[in-house]
Amino acid sequence: MSGTNSPEAVKKLLENMQSDLRALSLECKKKFPPVKEAAESGIIKVKTIAARNTEILAALKENSSEVVQPFLMGCGTKEPKITQLCLAAIQRLMSHEVVSETAAGNIINMLWQLMENSLEELKLLQTVLVLLTTNTVVHDEALSKAIVLCFRLHFTKDNITNNTAAATVRQVVTVVFERMVAEDERHKVITEQPVLVQGNSNRRSVSTLKPCAKDAYMLFQDLCQLVNADAPYWLVGMTEMTRTFGLELLESVLNDFPQVFLQHQEFSFLLKERVCPLVIKLFSPNIKFRQGSSTSSSPAPVEKPYFPICMRLLRVVSVLIKQFYSLLVTECEIFLSLLVKFLDADKPQWLRAVAVESIHRLCVQPRLLRSFCQSYDMKQHSTKVFRDIVNALGSFIQSLFLVPPTGNPSATTNQAGKDSFVFCFLYSALIYLRISIL
């Protein structure tokens, strides 16, 4: 901000604002007289602020609702050239942090109208990103509306807009949690041992959170809702969502911001009561499915495992075990037992391979494996998780050499090469498993 606060930067901002307002007045001279008049009034307003105030940026922010109004009216014309000019001017104001909470709300409402009319979609995404990354004035309903706008654009038919919106959503989700971390730093919120929220009402716990933390909580809760195909509480206006994209966002948050869930009991509650049951529910098709089994004898056909979802689920499970084992001892026992089941011979080969990859990620962390032994195998009435993992990997290695050879010699040679590679990979995993507890 030091660069934007310098006298030269402030002077340049005032010049650019007046230039933008003159250009807007000229463009709207014939077709949109009200916008022209608003632009000319805006020029006078900017000059008055510059003449009467020593703290020009603070004065601009205080009067930002009036200053930005001509540009909002220009966007309302829905003329491409005028809209582009106005969005560029609004972005310039936001980059200097001279937009108040009220003005930011008005800007988001205008962006929503442009989105519904399919106008300047890439420019809309850029404007939302500038607004949320350079300012902290957007909270609650205004923030949720901005996020929904990005989600809606992610599911348009245009591939460029779709991909740009996906990247914007990821960045905006990260920004929301970064704000919370910064808020914690400002208020020195450090809790070494989180105490889980008691009771079943997650709504009751929201009142204990600070503004940025509340936004992060509501966002994460709704991501869980959407992945579970339920209606969101906070992201009102969502019309479409895919489980694959939702799981990617959940994994990103859990992996990048583990301290949020370890230091805040409200987020610990979400982890235990929303994320874990969701993961177990989505794993259900993978558990029930048996490769080669006949569905005619069963009363209802068993849903086949879906590779994109299963792969992302296992990534989420890996993060949950690695980052939150101390918080989710019982849940991790279930997850580890599921991983072992996925190595069964009657599971699809790709599912077994993905499960092996997930187990290998855990094998390279000796402290985690020692915890498995202490929490599960060394207790009388607990699942022998460590033993089951070793036995499952051993059985999987043996199964690789029981595949009947084909009549094609080259195919047999290639298969042998692949089996040797997998054998070395799994054998190294077994070695890790055996020595890590010594």
Side-chain angles (χ1 to χ4, degrees):
M1 268 298 292
S2 58
T4 57
N5 273 331
S6 65
E8 294 79 9
V10 174
K11 181 181 178 181
K12 185 69 174 176
L13 172 63
L14 292 172
E15 291 173 354
N16 288 332
M17 288 177 62
Q18 293 178 59
S19 175
D20 291 335
L21 288 167
R22 290 192 192 98
L24 179 60
S25 175
L26 187 62
E27 289 292 335
C28 298
K29 184 175 181 180
K30 294 181 179 180
K31 293 182 66 177
F32 306 102
V35 180
K36 172 183 175 295
E37 294 175 5
E40 291 174 349
S41 299
I43 295 173
I44 298 172
K45 184 70 176 178
V46 171
K47 289 181 177 179
T48 303
I49 291 173
R52 294 182 180 179
N53 296 274
T54 54
E55 295 293 332
I56 295 177
L57 291 180
L60 281 173
K61 185 172 184 177
E62 185 179 346
N63 295 275
S64 58
S65 294
E66 298 176 46
V67 172
V68 82
Q69 187 60 30
F71 300 119
L72 298 181
M73 294 174 65
C75 290
T77 65
K78 299 182 177 61
E79 289 285 335
K81 187 176 181 180
I82 297 174
T83 302
Q84 291 172 13
L85 185 157
C86 292
L87 289 176
I90 290 171
Q91 288 181 24
R92 186 178 293 112
L93 287 171
M94 293 187 299
S95 64
H96 284 78
E97 299 188 30
V98 291
V99 176
S100 66
E101 185 175 349
T102 302
N106 294 336
I107 291 171
I108 291 172
N109 289 334
M110 176 271 297
L111 295 176
W112 185 273
Q113 293 175 11
L114 293 176
M115 179 270 295
E116 289 188 323
N117 287 278
S118 302
L119 296 172
E120 300 297 331
E121 292 174 334
L122 295 178
K123 202 76 172 177
L124 297 185
L125 292 168
Q126 186 182 55
T127 306
V128 170
L129 199 56
V130 172
L131 177 60
L132 298 183
T133 54
T134 60
N135 297 268
T136 57
V137 295
V138 182
H139 291 287
D140 299 326
E141 293 181 5
L143 177 60
S144 70
K145 195 168 188 177
I147 296 173
V148 170
L149 184 152
C150 298
F151 270 113
R152 293 270 291 266
L153 291 177
H154 172 52
F155 294 102
T156 57
K157 295 180 180 180
D158 183 81
N159 286 333
I160 296 176
T161 302
N162 186 309
N163 294 331
T164 305
T168 304
V169 168
R170 290 187 177 94
Q171 193 165 349
V172 167
V173 170
T174 300
V175 166
V176 171
F177 279 85
E178 285 176 346
R179 285 183 179 183
M180 178 180 176
V181 173
E183 183 180 66
D184 284 352
E185 289 295 324
R186 289 195 302 270
H187 293 88
K188 305 294 182 183
V189 177
I190 302 177
T191 306
E192 294 183 359
Q193 294 293 332
V195 180
L196 297 182
V197 174
Q198 300 297 318
N200 295 322
S201 175
N202 61 334
R203 294 241 176 222
R204 177 170 55 86
S205 64
V206 179
S207 61
T208 66
L209 296 170
K210 296 179 177 64
C212 294
K214 180 182 177 183
D215 292 335
Y217 180 95
M218 298 302 291
L219 173 59
F220 190 82
Q221 176 181 243
D222 274 6
L223 288 177
C224 295
Q225 287 286 111
L226 291 166
V227 172
N228 200 35
D230 292 329
Y233 299 121
W234 189 61
L235 297 174
V236 180
M238 289 285 294
T239 57
E240 192 174 354
M241 181 63 169
T242 61
R243 275 183 172 163
T244 50
F245 189 48
L247 287 170
E248 288 175 8
L249 294 174
L250 290 179
E251 179 200 354
S252 174
V253 172
L254 293 170
N255 191 55
D256 295 342
F257 303 98
Q259 70 276 24
V260 166
F261 297 87
L262 295 172
Q263 295 175 358
H264 292 269
Q265 43 186 309
E266 297 86 359
F267 284 81
S268 301
F269 175 88
L270 280 183
L271 207 58
K272 289 184 70 71
E273 301 298 326
R274 293 300 181 91
V275 177
C276 292
L278 173 63
V279 170
I280 294 171
K281 172 187 173 182
L282 294 182
F283 264 139
S284 179
N286 306 288
I287 301 169
K288 297 176 181 178
F289 183 78
R290 295 288 182 270
Q291 188 165 259
S293 62
S294 174
T295 58
S296 59
S297 59
S298 59
V302 177
E303 182 183 355
K304 289 185 177 181
Y306 184 50
F307 175 76
I309 290 181
C310 182
M311 181 184 67
R312 288 163 176 81
L313 276 173
L314 284 172
R315 288 178 182 171
V316 172
V317 166
S318 296
V319 174
L320 289 173
I321 295 174
K322 287 192 293 184
Q323 302 283 13
F324 308 106
Y325 171 76
S326 61
L327 195 65
L328 304 171
V329 176
T330 303
E331 290 80 1
C332 286
E333 181 179 357
I334 297 173
F335 296 148
L336 290 166
S337 298
L338 290 176
L339 287 177
V340 170
K341 287 182 181 296
F342 293 163
L343 292 176
D344 289 348
D346 56 3
K347 299 298 183 190
Q349 198 67 17
W350 63 262
L351 180 57
R352 301 174 77 193
V354 175
V356 166
E357 183 183 359
S358 299
I359 292 174
H360 186 264
R361 291 196 197 104
L362 303 176
C363 290
V364 296
Q365 299 192 41
R367 285 186 296 179
L368 192 59
L369 293 174
R370 291 192 194 99
S371 298
F372 294 166
C373 288
Q374 293 169 357
S375 300
Y376 309 128
D377 291 66
M378 296 176 67
K379 293 185 177 179
Q380 289 185 349
H381 303 290
S382 181
T383 305
K384 309 304 179 187
V385 171
F386 188 88
R387 180 202 64 190
D388 292 345
I389 291 175
V390 174
N391 291 339
L393 286 174
S395 298
F396 183 66
I397 291 174
Q398 291 178 357
S399 70
L400 295 176
F401 298 96
L402 296 177
V403 178
T406 62
N408 188 344
S410 61
T412 304
T413 303
N414 291 336
Q415 184 62 38
K418 293 177 183 177
D419 288 347
S420 299
F421 174 78
V422 175
F423 174 79
C424 293
F425 175 76
L426 291 172
Y427 188 68
S428 66
L430 278 172
I431 292 174
Y432 267 118
L433 281 167
R434 292 185 184 280
I435 69 174
S436 60
I437 60 171
L438 297 179

